């Protein structure tokens, strides 16, 4: 037995609990506080996880059409969830104890969402990736007090995409997301519907909401120590399920990958290194499908992929070590060297036939760079942007409605950061003056910015104006956001 396993604070019950999670010696050492520069060792659960729990598929949220609006009713609430062996965890959820239903609406629809807060603290829900009025955005200016209700309404006017919703209270976002608030928001449109793609929700079109968490021997959710990027957990959940198994029933399965972790990045691939096909990014479908064997997603990013299976096959979705551009001495600290099992896929003996993946997907209406004018610059450093920490009473910039702008984002820090902008989807023009790889060539709202790299973005702002209520831009590593790595902008006439 290793020294870490003999530590007084790690008794036989702790060992039994960690073993049931399928964690290897490296993970046990890390959770035991093993020695090292940061006190954190590399996790490796490859081949060590006992996949035994059917993957939970979040239900589609019920809605009614009233006075020309599709209306959803959501409740943020506290509850208990039996996630790992040992006991029940105190969690938060939307219309349930953990996470929430999948909202689904179609381009051209008007929607209203009634959010009632039954928690004992104020919270809010932000519609990540959505184009909508600032008053409906769900940022820190739209808090819902305990016992209160907030009813934002807007028209859906953007392409089919995999979006999501999560809380956004200033200084508390990490905790509220970690406790379990959040869910997927799928937009449909006519262009996507005409394509021969898997789209039977929960059958061959699967939400894959990936989060990492830490549990104690009693099964309780624990806020672990924050180092570098924030909290890194040793247990990976998919849709709130630990050690999850997906029963594959079709030749092609569409996985809507969402990194809903507060700090951890994932480098997704499969255990047998099979290739898969990426069809969509944050803001919707790509122009053409992209064959890949790995796709890295940092917190807040999404990717739609299609994976093929043969009858009777069994393979796993994994997160492989990744190059986050940090110094070797920091790689373990930020989780870049971790090897994590995510989800087992088990194909039935007989699979439903699937159509070939289309060779052309979406029409990309990118803005003209010549219309952008001077580039705005944003420097990320030490939990600040342009040497300023978030101030709810300060507007950092104003943007004209309908304007095309170019933004340059540079990570001048030695830590990983990414960059998310509310209300817009952007095109990545360059990464250190080089064109982006194909998987980053679509519409994005969140992008990873490695240390010492400059990324140029091009975007066209919408027509929703408000002289008072701002949108946000920030790092989506939520501890960094809570520490002040966020700014505000108005869209004005």
């Amino acid at each position: 037995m290793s020294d870490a396993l003999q530590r007084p604070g790690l008794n036989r019950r702790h060992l039994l609990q960690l073993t049931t999670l399928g964690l290897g010696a490296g993970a046990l050492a890390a959770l035991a506080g093993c020695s090292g520069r940061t006190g954190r060792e590399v996790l490796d659960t490859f081949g060590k996880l006992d996949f035994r729990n059917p993957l939970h598929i979040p239900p589609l949220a019920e809605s009614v059409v009233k006075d020309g609006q599709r209306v959803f009713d959501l409740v943020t609430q506290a509850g208990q969830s039996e996630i790992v062996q040992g006991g029940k965890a105190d969690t938060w959820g939307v219309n349930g104890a953990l996470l929430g239903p999948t909202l689904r609406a179609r381009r051209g629809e008007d929607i209203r969402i009634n959010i009632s807060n039954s928690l004992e603290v104020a919270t809010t829900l932000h519609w990540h990736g959505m184009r909508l009025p600032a008053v409906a955005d769900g940022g820190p200016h739209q808090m819902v007090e305990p016992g209160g209700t907030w009813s934002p309404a807007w028209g859906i006017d953007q392409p089919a995409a995999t979006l999501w919703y999560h809380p956004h209270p200033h200084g508390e976002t990490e905790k509220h997301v970690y406790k379990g608030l959040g869910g997927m928001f799928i937009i449909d449109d006519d262009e996507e519907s005409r394509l021969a793609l898997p789209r039977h929700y929960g059958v061959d079109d699967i939400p894959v909401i990936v989060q990492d968490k830490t549990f104690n021997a009693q099964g309780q959710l624990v806020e672990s120590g924050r180092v570098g990027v924030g909290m890194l957990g040793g247990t990976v959940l998919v849709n709130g399920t630990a050690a999850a198994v997906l029963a594959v029933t079709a030749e092609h399965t569409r996985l809507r990958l969402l990194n809903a972790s507060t700090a951890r990045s994932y480098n997704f691939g499969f255990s047998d290194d099979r290739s898969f096909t990426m069809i969509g990014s944050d803001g919707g479908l790509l122009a053409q499908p992209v064959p890949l064997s790995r796709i890295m997603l940092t917190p807040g990013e999404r990717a739609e992929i299609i994976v093929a299976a043969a009858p009777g096959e069994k393979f796993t979705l994994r997160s492989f070590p990744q190059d986050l551009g940090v110094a070797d001495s920091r790689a373990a600290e930020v989780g870049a060297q971790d090897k994590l099992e995510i989800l087992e896929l088990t194909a039935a003996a007989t699979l439903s036939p699937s159509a070939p993946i289309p060779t052309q997907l979406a029409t990309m209406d990118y803005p003209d760079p010549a219309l952008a004018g001077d580039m705005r610059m944003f420097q990320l450093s030490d939990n600040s942007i342009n040497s300023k920490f978030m101030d709810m009473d300060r507007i950092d910039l104003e943007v004209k409605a309908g304007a095309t702008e170019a933004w340059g984002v540079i990570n001048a820090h030695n830590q990983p950061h990414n960059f998310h902008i509310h209300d817009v989807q952007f095109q990545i023009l360059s990464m250190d003056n080089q064109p982006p790889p194909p998987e980053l060539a679509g519409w994005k709202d969140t992008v990873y910015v490695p240390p010492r790299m400059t990324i140029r973005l091009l975007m066209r702002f919408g027509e929703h104006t408000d002289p008072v209520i701002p949108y946000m831009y920030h790092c989506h590593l939520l501890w960094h956001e809570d520490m002040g790595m966020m700014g505000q902008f108005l869209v004005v006439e």
Side-chain angles (χ1 to χ4, degrees):
M1 182 175 292
S2 71
D3 291 342
L5 304 190
Q6 299 179 50
R7 289 177 180 270
L10 200 67
N11 59 31
R12 183 175 297 275
R13 186 177 179 187
H14 284 80
L15 292 177
L16 177 62
Q17 169 65 20
L18 295 173
T19 301
T20 64
L21 298 182
L23 299 177
L28 294 176
L31 294 177
C34 189
S35 62
R37 193 183 74 83
T38 65
R40 184 183 187 281
E41 289 196 353
V42 173
L43 301 182
D44 182 357
T45 63
F46 281 9
K48 304 180 181 76
L49 196 61
D50 177 19
F51 291 103
R52 63 190 181 278
N53 300 316
L55 176 66
H56 170 68
I57 304 296
L60 290 172
E62 296 182 358
S63 64
V64 297
V65 177
K66 183 178 181 181
D67 298 329
Q69 287 183 320
R70 182 170 299 280
V71 181
F72 299 89
D73 291 318
L74 302 180
V75 179
T76 53
Q77 60 190 81
Q80 288 195 317
S81 305
E82 191 167 358
I83 303 170
V84 298
Q85 295 181 8
K88 292 184 177 181
D90 295 321
T91 56
W92 292 353
V94 179
N95 292 5
L98 179 64
L99 295 177
T102 296
L103 276 66
R104 195 156 198 168
R106 195 167 192 87
R107 188 172 194 173
E109 284 191 308
D110 292 324
I111 68 170
R112 184 174 79 247
I113 305 177
N114 301 316
I115 300 109
S116 300
N117 182 15
S118 68
L119 297 170
E120 295 181 353
V121 298
T123 191
T124 186
L125 291 180
H126 161 59
W127 321 106
H128 184 125
M130 190 76 71
R131 170 155 280 175
L132 75 179
V135 69
D137 186 52
H141 293 278
Q142 289 94 38
M143 298 296 291
V144 187
E145 297 297 326
T149 298
W150 176 55
S151 298
W154 70 93
I156 303 291
D157 186 21
Q158 62 191 99
T162 299
L163 311 182
W164 68 302
Y165 61 92
H166 62 80
H168 211 306
H170 180 42
E172 295 287 332
T173 297
E174 180 198 38
K175 178 179 180 178
H176 287 215
V177 172
Y178 190 72
K179 290 281 285 184
L181 295 181
M184 196 165 278
F185 199 138
I186 297 174
I187 296 178
D188 300 306
D189 72 2
D190 293 343
E191 185 177 32
E192 189 275 342
S193 296
R194 286 192 290 266
L195 297 172
L197 295 172
R199 61 169 52 85
H200 189 177
Y201 181 82
V203 178
D204 62 2
D205 185 354
I206 309 296
V208 181
I209 303 172
V210 183
Q211 297 178 303
D212 61 320
K213 300 187 187 296
T214 298
F215 296 89
N216 64 16
Q218 290 74 45
Q220 277 287 336
L221 194 59
V222 175
E223 289 190 33
S224 59
R226 296 162 175 84
V227 177
V229 293
M231 292 188 290
L232 297 176
T235 300
V236 176
L237 309 183
V238 180
N239 302 343
T241 308
V245 180
L246 171 64
V248 174
T249 60
E251 293 175 343
H252 287 171
T253 301
R254 181 181 190 170
L255 302 179
R256 298 178 184 259
L257 302 176
L258 161 61
N259 182 349
S261 287
T262 61
R264 182 184 290 283
S265 297
Y266 300 93
N267 188 23
F268 291 109
F270 291 97
S271 53
D272 56 3
D273 280 331
R274 71 180 59 206
S275 63
F276 53 88
T277 303
M278 182 177 177
I279 61 168
S281 188
D282 296 346
L285 295 176
L286 303 175
Q288 293 91 27
V290 177
L292 297 170
S293 61
R294 300 283 188 273
I295 177 69
M296 191 178 83
L297 299 181
T298 61
E301 291 186 285
R302 288 89 66 209
E304 296 184 33
I305 68 171
I306 294 177
V307 60
E313 278 192 314
K314 182 183 292 185
F315 53 100
T316 62
L317 179 67
R318 289 176 164 175
S319 177
F320 293 84
Q322 60 223 241
D323 181 7
L324 293 178
V326 298
D328 291 343
S329 59
R330 290 188 177 272
E333 172 188 298
V334 301
Q337 298 174 343
D338 291 350
K339 301 176 180 180
L340 301 172
E341 298 280 29
I342 306 294
L343 172 69
E344 181 178 88
L345 293 86
T346 303
T350 302
L351 299 176
S352 301
S354 300
I357 299 171
T359 57
Q360 298 292 318
L361 296 172
T363 302
M364 311 304 284
D365 181 24
Y366 289 133
D368 183 355
L371 301 176
D374 294 337
M375 182 176 295
R376 297 185 192 263
M377 296 303 298
F378 299 82
Q379 179 172 289
L380 313 180
S381 60
D382 198 21
N383 295 329
S384 66
I385 301 178
N386 291 340
S387 300
K388 295 179 180 179
F389 295 97
M390 170 65 179
D391 184 339
M392 290 278 285
D393 297 322
R394 184 189 71 237
I395 300 300
D396 295 282
L397 57 104
E398 293 186 355
V399 174
K400 292 182 179 179
T404 295
E405 290 204 3
W407 288 17
V409 185
I410 180 171
N411 183 353
H413 200 197
N414 57 10
Q415 290 284 2
H417 296 295
N418 67 12
F419 195 71
H420 170 55
I421 311 175
H422 290 206
D423 188 51
V424 298
Q425 296 290 333
F426 50 74
Q427 175 193 10
I428 300 174
L429 291 177
S430 66
M431 308 176 74
D432 272 352
N433 296 317
Q434 299 298 314
E439 64 268 26
L440 295 179
W443 290 114
K444 296 281 293 173
D445 55 55
T446 308
V447 62
Y448 181 58
V449 188
R452 298 168 297 281
M453 180 176 283
T454 300
I455 296 183
R456 295 170 60 239
L457 312 175
L458 184 69
M459 67 210 77
R460 183 189 301 117
F461 287 88
E463 301 294 338
H464 298 296
T465 62
D466 196 305
V468 177
I469 299 176
Y471 299 102
M472 308 290 131
Y473 55 86
H474 57 88
C475 178
H476 216 282
L477 280 66
L478 299 183
W479 185 46
H480 296 172
E481 173 191 321
D482 287 343
M483 296 280 284
M485 202 169 218
M486 182 160 64
Q488 306 188 108
F489 68 96
L490 294 176
V491 175
V492 298
E493 296 288 350

